[in-house]
Amino acid sequence: MPEVKLVDVTKRFGDVHALRGVSLTVKDGEYVCILGPSGCGKSTLLRIIAGLLQPDSGSIYIDGRDVTYKPPEERQVGFVFQNIALFPHMDSWSNVTYGPVVKCMDRDTAYKAVRELMVILNIAKYSGLYPYELSGGIAQMIAIVRALATGAKLLLLDEPLGALDPRVRVNLKYELRRMVKDLNLTAIHVTHNQEEALTVADRIVVMRSGIVEGFDTPENLYWRPKNLFIADFIGKVNIMRGVISRVIGEKVLISLTNGQLVELHAEGFSEGDSVVLAIRPENFEFSSDDVMQDISLTGVVARVRFMGEYYRYDVRTEAGETIIVNYPVGGDVKKLGEKVRIWFNPETVLIYPYPEKGIEKELMVEI
Amino acid sequence: MQNIWKILRITILASTFLTFTILVLFPTIFLASFPLIYIDDIRYEVFENPLIGSENLRLIIEVLTFSFKLSASTVLVDILLGIPLAFILARGNFPGKLLLETLVTLPLVMPTSGFGFASLLTWTTVSGVGKWFGLSRGILSITSNLPFIDVPIIIFIVHVSLTLPYIVRTVQAKLVEVDIVYEDASRTLGATSLTTFRKILMPELLPAIFSGSVLAFARSLGETGATIIVAGVRLTAAVAVVKWEFEFKLGAAAFLGLILVLITWLIILPAELFLTSAKGGIVKPPSLISGTIVERALIKLEAKFSKRIFKNILHGVCVALLLVLVIVPIVVVVESVFSYMFKDPYTGKTEGSVIYQLFGPANYLPIMLRSTAVSFASAFTSTYISVFLSIPLVYIIDRYRVGRILRALLKVPLVIPSSALGLSVLLFWGPKFLGLLTPSIWLIILTQIVFSVPVIVETTMAVYEGSNIKLYEDAAKTLGANPYHVVEKISLPILKEGIITGAILSFTHSLGETGAAMIVMGADIPISVLVVNMVESLAIPAALFTSAYLIIISTIMIVVFRIVSGRRRI
Ligand SMILES: Nc1ncnc2c1ncn2[C@@H]1O[C@H](COP(=O)(O)OP(=O)(O)O)[C@@H](O)[C@H]1O
Ligand SMILES: [Mg+2]
């Protein structure tokens, strides 16, 4: 049921603009992640949705109802905190039934639902324990049950996995998504962890300095990022500068700074435009012979890192740039100082107008 | 080389311990031995006086009952007023918060006799707020009583102002420590703010409210300086100790003092035990009504009163009351100094002016200057000695078994009524026992040391426990520093903040203390007592001037204190 709509929400703390006009709509039943660097306003946004903070301006609608001025206790949301926040003086059972008790819900029905949920999640056996007797993962699961115990259909999670061990984190991550889907909930999950967002979300909100930079499916954000910031923020890119030297129908001919010419599919550019090419590290290949001469670069391997499933090479080109190349394990391993030739498939290149503020500014996580 | 340091250390610690025992410990507990030594005096004066029989015993019971009613009702109002104020200070974020915080603390450093006089003037005389309402008298009479409990309102409000800081500060400190996330969690789970307060915060705050109440109760029970001024003919137990000592009813005074000390102990001891057992662990109060019909009704009620408007009204009322209780008397006293400067504003006589009393035949100026000198000299000397005694004591408390006992004993001078403490010191050093000193500035200094050492030790211990000092000391030792260097370069700089804070607190405390000083001062009258004397001899303009002057000094002091402790916000 719950659909969440924010219209032009702003929030300031003194001189800090935590949110600068955020508008977005989370659809019913969606699992949305809010992704962004620390301090970009993710928690502020979530707390405003929950009613724990008042926006300076803008409106919040839950289920089409304007809740902007409603206190948290009247919003029917479940909130899960990074530091878990189980009430320390209550055991697990008192914690999970706290909501039904303070809302004066019918005891039998509410308790039955809570017990069922605990059984499904396999945590019923911890009912009698106090928070300090629980491991982080279990405690967070109890906290999730607590958030849902009053029948909330909108689950707000503020870095719910942030305080947990890496292994617990992975398990709980998928558990969370399955639960949200099984119970027909809408979830808004805040995280600064890219991988977490990419793997669990239906759609991701990318935030920077109080602004929504993008809101799309993980695939679109990764393969068709709307702007250079997102391209770089989601999964790193190599960046090359160039100028459009000719427009040929749906294609453009770009001359790179090192003088090489590249032909790409691109629209909306005209001759003389400055552009930026962004190429993902996994889209580079090492070439053994002279194929595709025109878009290859030569350089020296300046650093080699073994990343598990692939190697990551820093290749220093003749022009002095450093290109990062991810190359799967299995091929022959390049050695430090080895001269190599690398090339990329023009189909995989992302192309953007040269940012007015300069590349460095465009990519900065804080503005 | 090793041996020399060892001998030096033992010498310092042993001499500290010895000095501490003689200067602080014996005088503190001497009163307890009094009934054993002077059993006959007590029997004669209290129980079997040939002239009046057990009249003094009846009086003792009467003043004790009165004191109890007064202190209990004071603490009750302190709690009601103090919790919202603690909330405003801990959770609020508004301009003027620092000012409000300073205001709350002000009564802790203000000489109580000066404040008492200011309150008396403000509420019971025509020079006070009565004038603002066009009355030709005060808005209270000195005999206006609280309904049901027969406690004069003026004494009651002075006690509330003076003890409120204890509740506010302890609850505020605890609230700052409690992560706000629990309140957030509770709200998102559907609890209104009042329900959240009851179910989530109360369990956390109970120990703080409890220990704050105990301190406030002890303080109210022992308050002398302001009470003696506003009480009129009514006697509280602490004031009775002073009065009877003046009337040479030493046996009755000592007996009452001892009872007061024992009562204070009976209250403090269980509190200490309760708190140390709860410390670290979590208080898990049984929720008797959780989920019952009673709770449902309560929750509905709480929901009604959780509206923002009620919260704002409550906060507004509490802040307004604080302003009225603390600021208005200060304003009135300062304003009155000006209106009484050259003539009595009501009779027009110049004999009733501040100038006339200070410089005219009464010639209060030299007396005032001498009292100022007595106060500052004694406060400075006692603080100075106490600092040097306290630093090795902190070390002893931390490293040796006896430390814990010492620390518990050090709480005694902090909580027992100061007049009882003064009496104990007088009996110990004075003609009745050691016979070394008669009442004079020397006894004032010795008395002040007794309550200054605990203050400095406590603030220094707080810093000591909050820092990893042992780690740094060990690190310095492994780097080859000798013990002297470790102390000078590592320990002292870390402890500096606590020592300075303690020194400032004990200095202001010494400067403002009245009850004990009245007993031990002899002819060396400190300025805080001078106010009392002036009021008693009806030299109102002189009392006005002196009160204003004391209040200004203490305000300056609290500003300095704020600056020094700014970072830690003690
Ligand atoms: N209560 C507050 N008072 C002052 N500044 C705040 C407060 N809460 C957040 N901020 C500031 O607002 C910005 C956004 O904070 P937050 O929403 O917590 O970021 P995130 O969750 O993305 O790390 C930060 O610069 C933070 O310092
Ligand atoms: Mg955050």
Side-chain angles (χ1 to χ4, degrees):
Chain A
M1 279 158 273
E3 176 198 79
V4 180
K5 190 167 135 199
L6 304 180
V7 181
D8 208 20
V9 171
T10 63
K11 180 71 186 176
R12 270 176 61 176
F13 297 105
D15 294 339
V16 180
H17 291 259
L19 297 176
R20 322 174 190 231
V22 171
S23 299
L24 52 88
T25 304
V26 174
K27 285 183 262 179
D28 178 31
E30 234 182 348
Y31 198 118
V32 165
C33 277
I34 301 182
L35 176 66
S38 266
C40 71
K42 308 181 294 289
S43 297
T44 305
L45 187 63
L46 207 64
R47 296 167 68 78
I48 283 181
I49 297 174
L52 294 170
L53 278 177
Q54 280 285 312
D56 295 338
S57 68
S59 315
I60 298 105
Y61 300 87
I62 297 179
D63 252 346
R65 201 166 64 106
D66 186 347
V67 296
T68 314
Y69 299 104
K70 291 259 181 270
E73 61 265 26
E74 289 173 27
R75 292 195 187 192
Q76 276 283 0
V77 298
F79 203 109
V80 176
F81 300 85
Q82 173 169 11
N83 49 0
I84 301 169
L86 288 178
F87 303 128
H89 58 284
M90 298 182 189
D91 64 13
S92 301
W93 181 250
S94 304
N95 261 288
V96 292
T97 54
Y98 182 84
V101 167
V102 297
K103 287 188 129 179
C104 300
M105 293 166 71
D106 178 64
R107 236 166 122 153
D108 296 338
T109 355
Y111 284 15
K112 190 161 154 269
V114 171
R115 201 167 284 123
E116 271 168 16
L117 196 53
M118 285 180 90
V119 169
I120 293 173
L121 292 175
N122 210 8
I123 50 173
K125 54 181 171 289
Y126 303 106
S127 284
L129 299 186
Y130 279 85
Y132 59 87
E133 297 169 308
L134 301 171
S135 70
I138 301 298
Q140 192 60 296
M141 284 169 79
I142 305 254
I144 291 166
V145 173
R146 178 178 73 170
L148 296 174
T150 52
K153 288 290 178 189
L154 172 59
L155 189 57
L156 305 176
L157 307 121
D158 193 353
E159 313 240 7
L161 312 173
L164 308 180
D165 285 345
R167 249 188 27 191
V168 179
R169 201 181 300 170
V170 175
N171 291 338
L172 191 51
K173 180 170 76 176
Y174 294 116
E175 189 99 40
L176 253 179
R177 184 178 160 93
R178 197 172 59 226
M179 191 179 71
V180 167
K181 293 298 170 189
D182 286 351
L183 299 176
N184 278 323
L185 310 175
T186 306
I188 305 182
H189 172 148
V190 158
T191 175
H192 65 261
N193 182 325
Q194 241 188 71
E195 196 209 316
E196 195 174 302
L198 290 173
T199 46
V200 298
D202 295 325
R203 286 197 294 164
I204 298 175
V205 178
V206 180
M207 280 187 70
R208 167 167 67 161
S209 283
I211 291 170
V212 173
E213 294 280 355
F215 185 18
D216 214 332
T217 61
E219 290 82 0
N220 282 345
L221 286 174
Y222 193 85
W223 295 117
R224 288 169 288 279
K226 187 176 93 179
N227 58 40
L228 188 58
F229 171 73
I230 293 178
D232 186 58
F233 187 73
I234 309 261
K236 264 294 158 223
V237 285
N238 291 296
I239 288 174
M240 290 184 230
R241 290 185 54 180
V243 175
I244 308 275
S245 61
R246 198 139 35 96
V247 180
I248 324 158
E250 285 179 5
K251 286 189 164 188
V252 290
L253 195 63
I254 298 164
S255 117
L256 298 179
T257 32
N258 62 5
Q260 276 180 316
L261 289 174
V262 191
E263 200 180 65
L264 301 172
H265 277 282
E267 281 171 36
F269 293 100
S270 43
E271 253 168 60
D273 284 357
S274 275
V275 292
V276 178
L277 305 193
I279 307 151
R280 302 224 176 263
E282 59 269 34
N283 290 338
F284 277 100
E285 305 256 1
F286 291 106
S287 68
S288 38
D289 18 60
D290 301 334
V291 285
M292 311 291 280
Q293 271 286 345
D294 54 337
I295 46 168
S296 69
L297 307 157
T298 52
V300 175
V301 176
R303 188 170 174 197
V304 183
R305 277 170 286 177
F306 177 59
M307 307 293 283
E309 291 149 35
Y310 60 91
Y311 283 95
R312 170 165 291 184
Y313 300 98
D314 288 5
V315 177
R316 181 151 312 235
T317 64
E318 283 158 352
E321 300 159 314
T322 301
I323 301 271
I324 298 168
V325 178
N326 291 349
Y327 203 69
V329 170
D332 50 339
V333 180
K334 309 291 176 198
K335 285 186 277 302
L336 207 61
E338 191 175 332
K339 259 191 95 157
V340 291
R341 180 182 292 274
I342 51 177
W343 66 275
F344 55 87
N345 181 351
E347 296 295 316
T348 65
V349 171
L350 303 165
I351 171 168
Y352 303 99
Y354 186 79
E356 286 165 28
K357 312 167 271 188
I359 292 176
E360 212 169 304
K361 262 263 171 74
E362 172 75 12
L363 299 186
M364 269 197 323
V365 291
E366 281 170 34
I367 36 180
Chain B
M1 209 47 200
Q2 271 304 12
N3 277 337
I4 295 178
W5 288 119
K6 205 165 182 182
I7 291 168
L8 188 67
R9 196 181 76 187
I10 290 172
T11 314
I12 292 179
L13 294 186
S15 59
T16 300
F17 191 71
L18 199 68
T19 321
F20 168 75
T21 310
I22 296 171
L23 288 189
V24 181
L25 223 45
F26 282 168
T28 308
I29 54 180
F30 184 72
L31 197 61
S33 67
F34 192 78
L36 303 176
I37 307 174
Y38 296 102
I39 187 80
D40 289 338
D41 284 13
I42 290 176
R43 187 182 313 137
Y44 176 79
E45 269 187 43
V46 180
F47 296 99
E48 296 168 3
N49 190 295
L51 291 178
I52 52 173
S54 58
E55 173 65 14
N56 278 338
L57 182 63
R58 197 190 58 76
L59 267 180
I60 286 176
I61 292 170
E62 189 186 305
V63 294
L64 278 174
T65 318
F66 176 62
S67 273
F68 258 93
K69 284 191 294 187
L70 172 63
S71 301
S73 48
T74 298
V75 168
L76 195 69
V77 172
D78 281 345
I79 293 175
L80 294 179
L81 207 56
I83 292 176
L85 282 171
F87 247 88
I88 298 172
L89 290 175
R91 292 282 187 259
N93 196 358
F94 53 93
K97 179 170 155 180
L98 208 64
L99 197 70
L100 189 66
E101 207 171 11
T102 309
L103 213 64
V104 170
T105 327
L106 201 54
L108 281 185
V109 296
M110 210 148 42
T112 52
S113 54
F115 182 72
F117 178 65
S119 299
L120 184 74
L121 193 73
T122 306
W123 306 115
T124 65
T125 73
V126 63
S127 305
V129 292
K131 184 174 64 181
W132 301 349
F133 292 107
L135 301 175
S136 55
R137 55 188 164 78
I139 59 168
L140 287 177
S141 147
I142 198 153
T143 53
S144 318
N145 279 352
L146 285 178
F148 308 120
I149 55 170
D150 185 34
V151 168
I153 299 178
I154 180 72
I155 309 186
F156 172 72
I157 60 180
V158 165
H159 275 234
V160 169
S161 327
L162 292 176
T163 56
L164 189 59
Y166 293 97
I167 303 265
V168 178
R169 304 297 283 177
T170 44
V171 176
Q172 183 193 352
K174 183 66 201 180
L175 267 175
V176 167
E177 205 178 286
V178 177
D179 196 333
I180 197 166
V181 77
Y182 299 116
E183 287 151 69
D184 287 347
S186 171
R187 298 296 298 278
T188 60
L189 291 169
T192 57
S193 47
L194 281 179
T195 307
T196 301
F197 176 75
R198 173 172 61 85
K199 289 189 75 101
I200 304 302
L201 283 174
M202 266 318 245
E204 303 268 355
L205 294 184
L206 270 177
I209 295 174
F210 188 65
S211 63
S213 304
V214 165
L215 285 176
F217 190 88
R219 173 76 200 267
S220 168
L221 204 60
E223 213 294 318
T224 329
T227 314
I228 209 168
I229 285 184
V230 298
V233 291
R234 299 298 292 264
L235 279 185
T236 65
V239 171
V241 172
V242 178
K243 287 250 161 96
W244 292 348
E245 197 265 346
F246 280 6
E247 296 162 9
F248 301 106
K249 298 200 296 196
L250 215 51
F255 186 63
L256 177 56
L258 181 63
I259 294 177
L260 273 181
V261 171
L262 291 180
I263 290 170
T264 314
W265 264 110
L266 277 181
I267 299 166
I268 297 281
L269 215 58
E272 279 289 311
L273 285 178
F274 169 69
L275 289 181
T276 34
S277 67
K279 200 177 274 179
I282 296 151
V283 188
K284 297 169 193 156
S287 42
L288 297 174
I289 57 164
S290 185
T292 61
I293 294 175
V294 180
E295 179 165 46
R296 280 169 185 243
L298 195 57
I299 287 173
K300 297 243 161 66
L301 196 70
E302 286 165 339
K304 273 210 190 79
F305 286 100
S306 283
K307 303 233 160 58
R308 201 165 285 151
I309 170 114
F310 288 111
K311 188 175 123 188
N312 290 345
I313 291 176
L314 178 69
H315 286 184
V317 167
C318 289
V319 172
L321 276 176
L322 178 74
L323 290 179
V324 167
L325 287 183
V326 178
I327 287 289
V328 173
I330 294 178
V331 171
V332 165
V333 100
V334 172
E335 188 239 13
S336 300
V337 168
F338 286 107
S339 58
Y340 276 89
M341 190 57 86
F342 300 106
K343 60 177 199 308
D344 183 319
Y346 301 99
T347 61
K349 288 188 184 147
T350 43
E351 287 81 13
S353 73
V354 172
I355 299 284
Y356 185 85
Q357 291 211 332
L358 289 184
F359 300 100
N363 214 2
Y364 269 111
L365 186 69
I367 297 175
M368 220 184 82
L369 291 180
R370 178 156 197 279
S371 290
T372 307
V374 169
S375 283
F376 275 86
S378 59
F380 182 79
T381 314
S382 57
T383 302
Y384 190 83
I385 296 172
S386 302
V387 164
F388 284 97
L389 211 49
S390 299
I391 295 170
L393 267 179
V394 168
Y395 186 88
I396 294 176
I397 288 175
D398 184 62
R399 305 285 158 104
Y400 295 93
R401 270 274 168 73
V402 309
R404 291 189 45 188
I405 303 169
L406 277 190
R407 202 172 178 186
L409 279 173
L410 275 174
K411 296 241 159 72
V412 183
L414 284 181
V415 291
I416 64 172
S418 61
S419 51
L421 184 68
L423 192 59
S424 189
V425 174
L426 173 68
L427 292 171
F428 179 70
W429 292 104
K432 283 259 169 185
F433 185 65
L434 287 183
L436 286 176
L437 289 166
T438 50
S440 66
I441 187 170
W442 300 110
L443 260 189
I444 297 182
I445 292 171
L446 285 175
T447 310
Q448 290 174 348
I449 289 174
V450 176
F451 57 69
S452 292
V453 168
V455 171
I456 302 174
V457 167
E458 272 305 312
T459 52
T460 311
M461 272 317 277
V463 174
Y464 192 96
E465 285 169 342
S467 68
N468 269 328
I469 197 161
K470 252 181 249 165
L471 195 69
Y472 299 125
E473 285 177 353
D474 288 346
K477 275 181 213 153
T478 63
L479 295 171
N482 68 32
Y484 174 78
H485 276 130
V486 172
V487 169
E488 189 198 312
K489 296 274 190 303
I490 311 288
S491 324
L492 283 184
I494 293 178
L495 297 180
K496 192 178 69 185
E497 218 179 316
I499 297 170
I500 293 177
T501 307
I504 295 175
L505 279 178
S506 84
F507 188 80
T508 51
H509 191 169
S510 300
L511 215 55
E513 205 288 319
T514 323
M518 287 182 90
I519 288 181
V520 300
M521 69 190 178
D524 300 324
I525 302 172
I527 189 103
S528 55
V529 178
L530 187 65
V531 178
V532 178
N533 290 356
M534 286 168 165
V535 174
E536 285 184 345
S537 54
L538 294 178
I540 301 306
L544 262 178
F545 183 79
T546 316
S547 300
Y549 161 78
L550 276 178
I551 286 171
I552 288 167
I553 290 179
S554 56
T555 310
I556 292 173
M557 218 102 78
I558 198 174
V559 170
V560 172
F561 176 62
R562 283 261 145 216
I563 293 168
V564 172
S565 67
R567 268 176 305 146
R568 258 165 50 87
R569 296 271 200 96
I570 297 171

